[in-house]
Amino acid sequence: MSEIPAAITFVSADTDDAREAAARLSALYGQEKMADADIIVALGGDGFMLQTMRDTMGSGKRIYGMNRGTIGFLMNEYREEGLRERIAAAVAETIRPLEMTATDAEGLSHKALAINEVSLLRQSYQAAKIRISIDEKERLEELICDGVMVATPAGSTAYNLSAQGPILPLDAPLLALTPVSPFRPRRWRGALLPNQSTVDFEILEPGKRPVNAVADHTEIKSVRRVRVRESHDLTVTVMFDASHSWDERILSEQFRY
């Protein structure tokens, strides 16, 4: 068990429930300035948790989320009592984001980070045609699809799961490469990659079949090439109640029907 934290700051999503919870908790436990806080308690849903993770990336601060949103897969149960003790007993998980480098139709390079996934999506009624290389070796000459993504373990329960991709334990040294509505090869369901892999996507027939690239909330239109790899330098630490750890959530999710 960790020491009971003294320096906590509360941040909330822009909803009545989240703001009211932040006011009550700060009255109970105090409110440190963000710069002085060791623990950030994020109040909202998964979207707000991801925003908080992006905002504090590389800061060394730990994030403990409590659900004041709808889904809350990344969040702990909301309770006001015993918060310091819960945080002290929580399990810390380190997450590394994906780094995306995308080249657009004008030849301009764009960089963005993604905690969940980097996805390539068709821009028009025409299916996308995409060539895929792993560590500079061509693995799929032509994927005809609505899209394709690289997902982190943290993002494997999000868009990746809805596209029939695999759920990954948070500490698994893997990335999920998952197609979206593949047409050819019809039976290709994606691949599991070592997390040190570099994935290159080349858009084929980009004029006729334009494709956008999305790194979490950052979208680049009409891309020609996209490179994705796990960051070597940036991390963020999130904390889960020991009684409802990320591993337990992963197991439970796989037995839902």
Side-chain angles (χ1 to χ4, degrees):
M1 180 181 293
S2 302
E3 292 183 3
I4 294 179
I8 300 176
T9 191
F10 297 93
V11 295
S12 68
D14 190 21
T15 66
D16 289 342
D17 281 350
R19 287 193 299 267
E20 290 168 6
R24 290 195 300 271
L25 290 167
S26 60
L28 286 169
Y29 298 100
Q31 174 80 345
E32 294 287 342
K33 294 180 180 179
M34 177 69 77
D36 299 329
D38 301 313
I39 304 292
I40 299 169
V41 176
L43 301 159
D46 284 344
F48 182 69
M49 183 66 166
L50 288 171
Q51 177 186 323
T52 305
M53 292 163 70
R54 285 191 292 267
D55 291 345
T56 59
M57 186 75 64
S59 69
K61 299 181 186 300
R62 293 170 290 166
I63 306 172
Y64 182 89
M66 285 203 291
N67 191 18
R68 290 282 83 189
T70 52
I71 298 176
F73 197 86
L74 293 170
M75 314 300 277
N76 298 293
E77 179 185 353
Y78 180 80
R79 295 199 309 272
E80 295 180 6
E81 67 278 4
L83 179 58
R84 292 185 185 278
E85 289 75 15
R86 286 177 69 190
I87 293 173
V91 177
E93 299 281 1
T94 299
I95 294 175
R96 291 184 180 274
L98 297 174
E99 296 176 342
M100 177 187 78
T101 304
T103 304
D104 66 19
E106 305 300 321
L108 299 175
S109 181
H110 306 264
K111 295 181 182 293
L113 297 175
I115 294 169
N116 270 356
E117 77 279 319
V118 171
S119 54
L120 279 68
L121 302 168
R122 69 175 186 172
Q123 193 182 113
S124 70
Y125 66 91
Q126 291 275 17
K129 284 188 177 182
I130 302 172
R131 179 174 294 135
I132 301 175
S133 299
I134 311 296
D135 295 329
E136 300 188 351
K137 181 175 182 178
E138 183 183 293
R139 292 293 182 179
L140 203 54
E141 182 179 3
E142 181 180 274
L143 173 64
I144 303 176
C145 57
D146 281 354
V148 63
M149 76 186 80
V150 179
T152 67
S156 68
T157 57
Y159 187 21
N160 172 75
L161 180 59
S162 69
Q164 312 298 317
I167 299 176
L168 303 177
L170 200 58
D171 59 355
L174 297 170
L175 301 173
L177 176 62
T178 303
V180 180
S181 301
F183 180 66
R184 291 284 189 277
R186 188 179 296 275
R187 298 185 183 277
W188 189 66
R189 302 308 306 166
L192 290 175
L193 307 176
N195 63 343
Q196 297 302 309
S197 300
T198 298
V199 185
D200 285 295
F201 300 101
E202 180 184 354
I203 311 307
L204 307 177
E205 302 179 27
K208 180 181 179 182
R209 304 171 185 271
V211 169
N212 295 344
V214 184
D216 282 355
H217 67 302
T218 301
E219 182 175 33
I220 309 300
K221 294 186 178 296
S222 301
V223 295
R224 293 294 194 263
R225 293 181 301 278
V226 176
R227 169 165 285 191
V228 181
R229 69 171 191 175
E230 187 180 80
S231 176
H232 296 163
D233 305 315
L234 293 174
T235 63
V236 63
T237 301
V238 295
M239 306 182 75
F240 299 100
D241 287 335
S243 61
H244 193 39
S245 68
W246 180 269
D247 287 344
E248 173 59 30
R249 298 175 204 206
I250 291 296
L251 284 172
S252 296
E253 189 70 27
Q254 292 180 87
F255 286 93
R256 288 188 177 183
Y257 57 90

